[in-house]
Amino acid sequence: MPPLVSIVVPAYNNADYLAETLDSVFAQTYRSLEVIVADHSSTDQTWQVMERYADDPRVTLLRTEAGGGALRNWNRVSLAATGTYLKLVCGDDLIAPESVERQVDALESHPGAVLAASTRDLIDASGRRFVRGRGLAGLRGRVGGAEAIRRSVRRGTNIFGEPGCVLMRRETLERVGWWDSRFPYLIDQATYSRVLLDGDFVAVDASLAAFRVSSSQWSVRLVREQAQQTIDYNAWLADEHSDVISRNDQRIGDVRARMMARTRQLAYAYLGRRMSNPSADARADAS
Protein backbone atom coordinates (compact mmCIF):
# COMPACT_ATOMS: atom_id res chain seq x y z
CA MET A 1 0.00 0.00 0.00
CA PRO A 2 1.31 3.50 -0.77
CA PRO A 3 1.77 5.75 2.26
CA LEU A 4 -1.20 7.91 3.18
CA VAL A 5 -0.58 11.63 2.66
CA SER A 6 -2.50 14.26 4.62
CA ILE A 7 -3.09 17.52 2.78
CA VAL A 8 -4.27 20.03 5.36
CA VAL A 9 -5.78 23.40 4.47
CA PRO A 10 -6.14 26.12 7.11
CA ALA A 11 -8.66 28.56 5.65
CA TYR A 12 -9.50 32.09 6.75
CA ASN A 13 -11.56 34.48 4.62
CA ASN A 14 -10.46 32.60 1.50
CA ALA A 15 -13.86 32.38 -0.19
CA ASP A 16 -12.56 34.00 -3.39
CA TYR A 17 -9.76 31.46 -3.88
CA LEU A 18 -10.48 28.35 -1.80
CA ALA A 19 -12.30 26.40 -4.51
CA GLU A 20 -9.34 26.86 -6.86
CA THR A 21 -6.99 25.74 -4.08
CA LEU A 22 -9.03 22.63 -3.29
CA ASP A 23 -9.45 21.76 -6.95
CA SER A 24 -5.65 21.76 -7.26
CA VAL A 25 -5.47 19.44 -4.23
CA PHE A 26 -7.98 16.99 -5.74
CA ALA A 27 -6.20 17.05 -9.10
CA GLN A 28 -3.21 15.21 -7.61
CA THR A 29 -1.84 12.24 -9.51
CA TYR A 30 -1.06 10.65 -6.14
CA ARG A 31 -4.26 9.04 -4.91
CA SER A 32 -3.65 7.89 -1.31
CA LEU A 33 -4.82 11.15 0.22
CA GLU A 34 -6.86 12.54 3.06
CA VAL A 35 -7.82 16.22 2.93
CA ILE A 36 -8.55 18.18 6.10
CA VAL A 37 -9.87 21.73 5.83
CA ALA A 38 -10.51 24.02 8.82
CA ASP A 39 -12.28 27.36 8.74
CA HIS A 40 -10.81 29.79 11.28
CA SER A 41 -14.05 31.68 12.03
CA SER A 42 -14.14 33.40 8.65
CA THR A 43 -16.49 36.33 8.09
CA ASP A 44 -16.98 35.63 4.38
CA GLN A 45 -18.36 32.56 2.54
CA THR A 46 -15.37 30.30 3.25
CA TRP A 47 -17.46 27.66 5.07
CA GLN A 48 -20.01 27.57 2.25
CA VAL A 49 -17.22 26.92 -0.26
CA MET A 50 -15.89 24.11 1.95
CA GLU A 51 -19.31 22.48 2.09
CA ARG A 52 -19.21 21.88 -1.67
CA TYR A 53 -16.61 19.16 -0.96
CA ALA A 54 -18.37 17.56 2.02
CA ASP A 55 -19.54 14.47 0.11
CA ASP A 56 -16.03 13.41 -0.87
CA PRO A 57 -15.06 10.52 1.46
CA ARG A 58 -11.47 11.78 1.61
CA VAL A 59 -12.54 15.10 3.12
CA THR A 60 -12.83 16.20 6.74
CA LEU A 61 -14.24 19.68 7.40
CA LEU A 62 -13.49 21.40 10.71
CA ARG A 63 -14.24 24.70 12.40
CA THR A 64 -11.60 26.52 14.44
CA GLU A 65 -12.62 29.08 17.03
CA ALA A 66 -11.47 32.66 16.59
CA GLY A 67 -8.15 33.91 17.96
CA GLY A 68 -4.69 32.43 18.22
CA GLY A 69 -3.42 33.67 14.86
CA ALA A 70 -2.25 31.32 12.12
CA LEU A 71 -0.77 28.96 14.71
CA ARG A 72 -4.18 27.88 16.04
CA ASN A 73 -5.57 26.85 12.66
CA TRP A 74 -2.32 25.40 11.31
CA ASN A 75 -2.06 23.17 14.37
CA ARG A 76 -5.79 22.38 14.23
CA VAL A 77 -5.56 20.80 10.78
CA SER A 78 -2.15 19.22 11.42
CA LEU A 79 -3.17 17.55 14.67
CA ALA A 80 -6.13 16.00 12.85
CA ALA A 81 -3.87 14.45 10.18
CA THR A 82 -3.21 10.70 10.22
CA GLY A 83 -0.96 10.31 7.19
CA THR A 84 2.68 9.29 7.01
CA TYR A 85 3.39 12.58 5.25
CA LEU A 86 1.84 16.00 5.68
CA LYS A 87 1.51 18.94 3.30
CA LEU A 88 -0.09 22.18 4.47
CA VAL A 89 -1.61 24.28 1.69
CA CYS A 90 -2.83 27.77 2.56
CA GLY A 91 -6.36 28.56 1.44
CA ASP A 92 -5.38 30.76 -1.51
CA ASP A 93 -2.36 28.91 -2.89
CA LEU A 94 -2.09 26.18 -5.55
CA ILE A 95 -0.17 22.95 -6.01
CA ALA A 96 0.71 21.25 -9.29
CA PRO A 97 -0.96 17.89 -10.08
CA GLU A 98 2.30 15.95 -9.65
CA SER A 99 3.39 17.79 -6.48
CA VAL A 100 2.58 15.09 -3.92
CA GLU A 101 3.66 12.20 -6.15
CA ARG A 102 7.10 13.66 -6.82
CA GLN A 103 7.71 14.66 -3.21
CA VAL A 104 6.57 11.29 -1.85
CA ASP A 105 8.96 9.61 -4.29
CA ALA A 106 11.76 11.87 -3.05
CA LEU A 107 11.19 11.02 0.61
CA GLU A 108 10.55 7.32 0.02
CA SER A 109 13.83 7.15 -1.91
CA HIS A 110 15.70 8.65 1.06
CA PRO A 111 14.47 7.07 4.32
CA GLY A 112 16.65 9.38 6.41
CA ALA A 113 15.05 12.49 4.94
CA VAL A 114 12.29 14.27 6.86
CA LEU A 115 11.34 17.11 4.52
CA ALA A 116 11.19 17.67 0.76
CA ALA A 117 10.59 20.96 -1.03
CA SER A 118 10.30 22.23 -4.57
CA THR A 119 10.57 25.60 -6.24
CA ARG A 120 7.39 27.60 -6.81
CA ASP A 121 5.88 30.32 -8.94
CA LEU A 122 4.55 33.59 -7.58
CA ILE A 123 1.11 34.66 -8.78
CA ASP A 124 -0.93 37.81 -8.32
CA ALA A 125 -4.51 38.08 -7.07
CA SER A 126 -5.88 37.18 -10.51
CA GLY A 127 -3.69 34.08 -10.78
CA ARG A 128 -1.19 35.44 -13.30
CA ARG A 129 2.39 34.32 -12.79
CA PHE A 130 5.00 37.03 -12.43
CA VAL A 131 7.94 34.99 -11.05
CA ARG A 132 8.72 31.39 -12.01
CA GLY A 133 10.83 28.74 -10.32
CA ARG A 134 11.73 30.62 -7.14
CA GLY A 135 13.47 28.94 -4.21
CA LEU A 136 15.95 26.23 -3.09
CA ALA A 137 19.04 28.46 -3.57
CA GLY A 138 20.69 25.96 -5.88
CA LEU A 139 20.16 22.90 -3.66
CA ARG A 140 19.51 19.67 -5.54
CA GLY A 141 18.76 16.17 -4.32
CA ARG A 142 19.50 14.96 -0.81
CA VAL A 143 21.22 17.45 1.50
CA GLY A 144 21.99 17.23 5.21
CA GLY A 145 19.38 19.02 7.29
CA ALA A 146 21.97 21.25 8.98
CA GLU A 147 23.42 22.29 5.62
CA ALA A 148 19.95 23.14 4.29
CA ILE A 149 19.23 25.30 7.36
CA ARG A 150 22.61 27.02 7.00
CA ARG A 151 22.00 27.75 3.31
CA SER A 152 18.66 29.35 4.13
CA VAL A 153 20.12 31.53 6.89
CA ARG A 154 22.98 32.71 4.70
CA ARG A 155 20.55 33.62 1.91
CA GLY A 156 18.55 35.79 4.28
CA THR A 157 15.25 34.30 3.16
CA ASN A 158 13.10 31.19 3.28
CA ILE A 159 14.58 29.09 0.47
CA PHE A 160 12.15 26.22 1.17
CA GLY A 161 9.10 28.27 0.27
CA GLU A 162 5.60 28.42 1.63
CA PRO A 163 4.04 25.25 3.10
CA GLY A 164 2.48 24.22 -0.22
CA CYS A 165 6.03 23.74 -1.53
CA VAL A 166 6.87 21.31 1.26
CA LEU A 167 6.08 17.72 2.23
CA MET A 168 7.30 16.47 5.60
CA ARG A 169 7.06 13.44 7.80
CA ARG A 170 4.10 14.00 10.11
CA GLU A 171 5.69 12.11 13.01
CA THR A 172 8.72 14.42 12.89
CA LEU A 173 6.51 17.51 12.95
CA GLU A 174 4.72 16.04 15.95
CA ARG A 175 7.99 15.20 17.69
CA VAL A 176 9.27 18.79 17.43
CA GLY A 177 6.04 20.21 18.85
CA TRP A 178 4.07 21.09 15.69
CA TRP A 179 4.20 24.58 14.15
CA ASP A 180 6.45 27.23 15.73
CA SER A 181 5.15 30.81 15.82
CA ARG A 182 7.73 32.49 18.02
CA PHE A 183 8.56 34.49 14.87
CA PRO A 184 5.06 34.93 13.39
CA TYR A 185 6.17 35.88 9.87
CA LEU A 186 8.50 32.86 9.84
CA ILE A 187 6.09 30.25 11.20
CA ASP A 188 6.88 28.02 8.23
CA GLN A 189 10.66 28.53 8.05
CA ALA A 190 11.20 28.23 11.80
CA THR A 191 9.21 24.99 11.83
CA TYR A 192 11.12 23.59 8.85
CA SER A 193 14.37 24.28 10.69
CA ARG A 194 13.25 22.36 13.77
CA VAL A 195 12.15 19.46 11.57
CA LEU A 196 15.44 19.51 9.62
CA LEU A 197 17.45 19.33 12.83
CA ASP A 198 16.04 15.77 12.97
CA GLY A 199 16.98 14.54 9.49
CA ASP A 200 17.91 15.25 5.89
CA PHE A 201 16.37 17.48 3.24
CA VAL A 202 15.49 16.57 -0.35
CA ALA A 203 15.32 19.33 -2.97
CA VAL A 204 12.99 18.50 -5.87
CA ASP A 205 14.06 20.43 -8.96
CA ALA A 206 10.64 21.41 -10.30
CA SER A 207 8.15 24.20 -9.76
CA LEU A 208 5.30 22.35 -8.03
CA ALA A 209 3.37 25.12 -6.26
CA ALA A 210 2.12 28.65 -6.75
CA PHE A 211 2.09 31.23 -3.96
CA ARG A 212 -0.42 34.06 -4.27
CA VAL A 213 0.94 37.49 -3.36
CA SER A 214 -1.85 39.76 -2.15
CA SER A 215 -2.20 43.49 -1.59
CA SER A 216 -1.88 42.95 2.17
CA GLN A 217 1.79 42.09 1.61
CA TRP A 218 2.68 45.41 -0.03
CA SER A 219 3.12 47.27 3.27
CA VAL A 220 6.62 48.64 3.79
CA ARG A 221 6.08 48.24 7.53
CA LEU A 222 5.30 44.54 7.15
CA VAL A 223 8.35 43.97 4.98
CA ARG A 224 10.55 45.62 7.61
CA GLU A 225 8.98 43.54 10.36
CA GLN A 226 9.63 40.39 8.35
CA ALA A 227 13.29 41.39 7.98
CA GLN A 228 13.63 42.03 11.72
CA GLN A 229 12.04 38.71 12.57
CA THR A 230 14.46 36.98 10.19
CA ILE A 231 17.34 38.63 12.05
CA ASP A 232 15.85 37.53 15.38
CA TYR A 233 15.42 34.00 14.02
CA ASN A 234 19.07 33.93 12.91
CA ALA A 235 20.12 34.95 16.42
CA TRP A 236 17.96 32.23 17.97
CA LEU A 237 19.53 29.57 15.75
CA ALA A 238 23.07 30.80 16.46
CA ASP A 239 22.38 30.83 20.21
CA GLU A 240 20.56 27.49 20.43
CA HIS A 241 22.33 25.56 17.65
CA SER A 242 25.85 26.94 17.38
CA ASP A 243 26.95 23.63 15.82
CA VAL A 244 24.66 24.43 12.86
CA ILE A 245 24.78 28.24 12.56
CA SER A 246 27.99 30.13 13.30
CA ARG A 247 28.19 33.81 14.19
CA ASN A 248 29.59 34.43 10.71
CA ASP A 249 26.58 32.66 9.17
CA GLN A 250 24.38 34.87 11.34
CA ARG A 251 26.11 38.08 10.24
CA ILE A 252 25.87 37.17 6.55
CA GLY A 253 22.21 36.22 6.98
CA ASP A 254 21.38 39.49 8.74
CA VAL A 255 22.89 41.57 5.93
CA ARG A 256 21.06 39.59 3.28
CA ALA A 257 17.78 39.75 5.21
CA ARG A 258 17.94 43.54 4.98
CA MET A 259 18.80 43.32 1.28
CA MET A 260 15.89 40.93 0.70
CA ALA A 261 13.55 43.37 2.43
CA ARG A 262 14.50 46.05 -0.07
CA THR A 263 14.03 43.60 -2.95
CA ARG A 264 10.54 42.71 -1.69
CA GLN A 265 9.60 46.39 -1.49
CA LEU A 266 10.57 46.85 -5.14
CA ALA A 267 8.76 43.65 -6.14
CA TYR A 268 5.56 44.67 -4.39
CA ALA A 269 5.72 48.14 -5.96
CA TYR A 270 5.96 46.46 -9.38
CA LEU A 271 3.09 44.16 -8.50
CA GLY A 272 0.96 47.11 -7.43
CA ARG A 273 1.51 48.78 -10.81
CA ARG A 274 0.82 45.50 -12.57
CA MET A 275 -2.52 45.01 -10.84
CA SER A 276 -3.57 48.62 -11.42
CA ASN A 277 -3.01 48.22 -15.18
CA PRO A 278 -3.76 44.55 -15.99
CA SER A 279 -4.49 45.10 -19.69
CA ALA A 280 -1.06 46.58 -20.35
CA ASP A 281 0.56 43.74 -18.44
CA ALA A 282 -1.41 41.16 -20.41
CA ARG A 283 -0.17 42.69 -23.65
CA ALA A 284 3.40 42.51 -22.33
CA ASP A 285 2.95 38.84 -21.40
CA ALA A 286 1.63 38.07 -24.87
CA SER A 287 4.48 39.78 -26.70
Side-chain angles (χ1 to χ4, degrees), residues 27 104 108 139 166 174-175 195 197-198 200 206 219-220 222 245-246 261 271-272 282:
V104 167
E108 290 285 285
L139 295 180
V166 168
E174 179 180 13
R175 186 161 54 247
V195 168
L197 289 168
D198 203 55
D200 290 344
S219 164
V220 171
L222 289 179
I245 300 301
S246 69
L271 184 59

Side-chain angles (χ1 to χ4, degrees), residues 220-232:
V220 171
R221 177 184 61 82
L222 289 179
V223 169
R224 288 174 177 167
E225 288 180 3
Q226 289 170 347
Q228 185 56 55
Q229 287 191 20
T230 301
I231 290 167
D232 294 342

Side-chain angles (χ1 to χ4, degrees), residues 96-172:
E98 67 276 18
S99 173
V100 171
E101 182 174 9
R102 293 194 61 172
Q103 292 181 339
V104 167
D105 286 346
L107 290 174
E108 290 285 285
S109 299
H110 301 289
V114 293
L115 187 148
S118 67
T119 59
R120 81 282 199 195
D121 299 339
L122 304 186
I123 59 177
D124 64 20
S126 64
R128 292 174 299 164
R129 283 165 172 75
F130 63 95
V131 174
R132 297 178 183 271
R134 183 175 176 81
L136 297 184
L139 295 180
R140 296 292 182 269
R142 184 172 181 168
V143 179
E147 174 57 29
I149 296 168
R150 190 177 306 113
R151 180 73 64 94
S152 190
V153 167
R154 291 175 69 95
R155 286 298 179 103
T157 190
N158 176 9
I159 68 170
F160 310 108
E162 295 71 35
C165 304
V166 168
L167 185 74
M168 68 181 90
R169 295 187 186 274
R170 188 199 58 80
E171 65 176 4
T172 308

Side-chain angles (χ1 to χ4, degrees), residues 5-7 10 35 47 49-51 64-65 70 75 80 87 116-117 119 162 185 192-193 199 209-210 248 250:
V5 173
S6 300
I7 299 184
V35 180
W47 180 258
V49 174
M50 290 166 56
E51 286 185 311
T64 302
E65 64 186 50
N75 278 340
K87 176 185 286 290
T119 59
E162 295 71 35
Y185 290 118
Y192 305 156
S193 295
N248 189 51
Q250 180 188 354

